[in-house]
Amino acid sequence: LLPVGAFIAIFIVGVVIWLSRKRLSPLGELVIAVRKREFIVHYQPIIELKTGICVGAEALVRWRRPDGSLVRPDLFIPLAEESGLILPITDQVVEAVIADLGALLAADRSLHIAINLCADDVTSGRILDVLGDKLPKTEIAAGQIWLEATERGFIDIEAARATLARARERGHLVAIDDFGTGYSSLQYLQGLPMDALKIDKSFVDTIGRNSATSSVTGHIIEMAKTLDLQIVAEGVETEEQADYLKAHDVSFGQGWLFSKPLPAADFIDYHRNAKAR
Ligand code: C2E
Ligand code: CA
Ligand code: CA
Ligand code: CA
């Protein structure tokens, strides 16, 4: 009778574990996802508008669930930022970029990959230690890694300034992301060490529409030019938007007009075919 009792006990414990896993909180699920390294990266091509050449890509993280489904970053990045799990997730993004594209980046020095920084990394500069540890073991040059920082990282502006300055000393390029959506004016950002501005999709969307914000888009472009910054327009979906941006000397564009974010192998194909064109 004892073996039967033991069997029942094990069965009950098993059911309890199964149930508790099913009822895991979102945070609990995210902890397990980090531990099981369930994060992968898709790459959205960045195009030089004048020539149509693919000059690089933005690394965009996705959570691949065990059932194969992909979770969009907007659905887990906020919780990841709040809980600090964004730090190990960022490390997995860096590792994915190296594993996915290390060979391509070594073969084509003109290509760059942009990585999104979380607010914590902008303040602490921790990401520079991660990159400083990993990149020298690869053939990737520091200049091939662009770092995108949003205004959320500028709460402690002096700390942000120090991180961005160090990033540029290392040879990385610094881009200010989602520009225009936050509270800070260009005036405020003026003194920051940076190389490029990414114009948020919400501004690109207004191009061609007869709205007050469409003139704001023009002003942002003009201001970026006076500050001698490169401009990347994101969320370019129509030829009309691309033509406007080109006419206003915006160097780079990124959006569905050119390509959606692609799995690594598809991005490598895209880049190869774009070269052949
Ligand atoms: P973001 O940095 O502004 O990235 C651009 C987002 O716009 C991406 O969404 C991209 O797929 C989408 N997009 C690009 N072109 C178009 C277009 O033509 N039309 C439309 N409708 N959408 C377009 P995604 O991949 O869902 O990423 C959302 C946000 O999640 C990103 O916004 C970024 O803030 C954050 N994120 C993504 N990957 C990372 C990461 O590795 N680390 C951190 N900290 N944040 C990340
Ligand atoms: Ca970005
Ligand atoms: Ca952006
Ligand atoms: Ca955006």
Side-chain angles (χ1 to χ4, degrees):
L1 255 176
L2 216 145
V4 174
F7 175 79
I8 291 171
I10 288 168
F11 178 77
I12 290 171
V13 167
V15 167
V16 167
I17 289 174
W18 179 72
L19 277 177
S20 67
R21 274 199 63 135
K22 281 201 74 147
R23 291 221 198 98
L24 221 51
S25 66
L27 182 58
E29 286 192 18
L30 204 57
V31 169
I32 289 178
V34 167
R35 205 183 311 142
K36 290 165 79 185
R37 306 182 59 85
E38 288 177 356
F39 299 93
I40 63 159
V41 176
H42 282 184
Y43 300 92
Q44 186 172 36
I46 297 173
I47 306 299
E48 186 179 50
L49 291 170
K50 224 183 332 186
T51 60
I53 290 172
C54 168
V55 295
E58 177 174 4
L60 294 160
V61 71
R62 275 96 183 86
W63 174 5
R64 188 168 53 194
R65 313 289 306 247
D67 67 2
S69 62
L70 291 185
V71 184
R72 282 176 18 219
D74 338 349
L75 297 177
F76 62 87
I77 294 278
L79 180 59
E81 291 232 1
E82 218 174 275
S83 60
L85 286 172
I86 190 65
L87 300 179
I89 292 174
T90 303
D91 294 355
Q92 289 182 29
V93 169
V94 169
E95 284 154 20
V97 167
I98 290 171
D100 292 341
L101 300 181
L104 181 68
L105 290 164
D108 185 348
R109 290 287 171 207
S110 68
L111 207 61
H112 77 261
I113 301 298
I115 293 176
N116 289 286
L117 302 190
C118 64
D120 260 15
D121 273 341
V122 173
T123 309
S124 69
R126 181 207 72 105
I127 184 70
L128 298 178
D129 300 331
V130 173
L131 289 166
D133 172 51
K134 294 187 195 296
L135 287 182
K137 298 168 186 155
T138 73
E139 299 292 310
I140 303 168
Q144 292 180 281
I145 302 295
W146 290 29
L147 301 176
E148 297 192 1
T150 66
E151 291 172 45
R152 274 174 296 131
F154 302 157
I155 307 293
D156 182 346
I157 191 77
E158 284 315 315
R161 188 191 308 280
T163 299
L164 301 185
R166 267 177 66 212
R168 294 175 90 200
E169 277 162 26
R170 292 277 185 88
H172 301 301
L173 269 80
V174 170
I176 306 303
D177 201 2
D178 293 343
F179 183 75
T181 60
Y183 53 86
S184 46
S185 62
L186 199 58
Q187 180 92 11
Y188 171 81
L189 298 180
Q190 202 164 357
L192 280 178
M194 56 182 170
D195 304 283
L197 269 193
K198 292 196 82 168
I199 302 179
D200 191 67
K201 178 177 185 301
S202 55
F203 293 102
V204 174
D205 282 344
T206 66
I207 293 172
R209 294 197 196 139
N210 213 353
S211 69
T213 24
S214 72
S215 68
V216 174
T217 310
H219 284 301
I220 291 175
I221 294 170
E222 288 316 309
M223 285 190 288
K225 277 197 233 160
T226 36
L227 290 181
D228 230 0
L229 297 171
Q230 310 227 47
I231 310 172
V232 185
E234 71 177 27
V236 182
E237 291 183 345
T238 68
E239 292 286 355
E240 186 186 14
Q241 291 165 348
D243 288 343
Y244 174 96
L245 295 164
K246 239 185 293 182
H248 287 75
D249 284 327
V250 171
S251 323
F252 306 111
Q254 177 186 348
W256 293 358
L257 175 63
F258 310 109
S259 171
K260 291 197 172 179
L262 302 170
D266 294 349
F267 172 67
I268 292 169
D269 278 350
Y270 178 95
H271 176 254
R272 188 187 302 124
N273 295 335
K275 279 200 108 156
R277 251 181 251 136

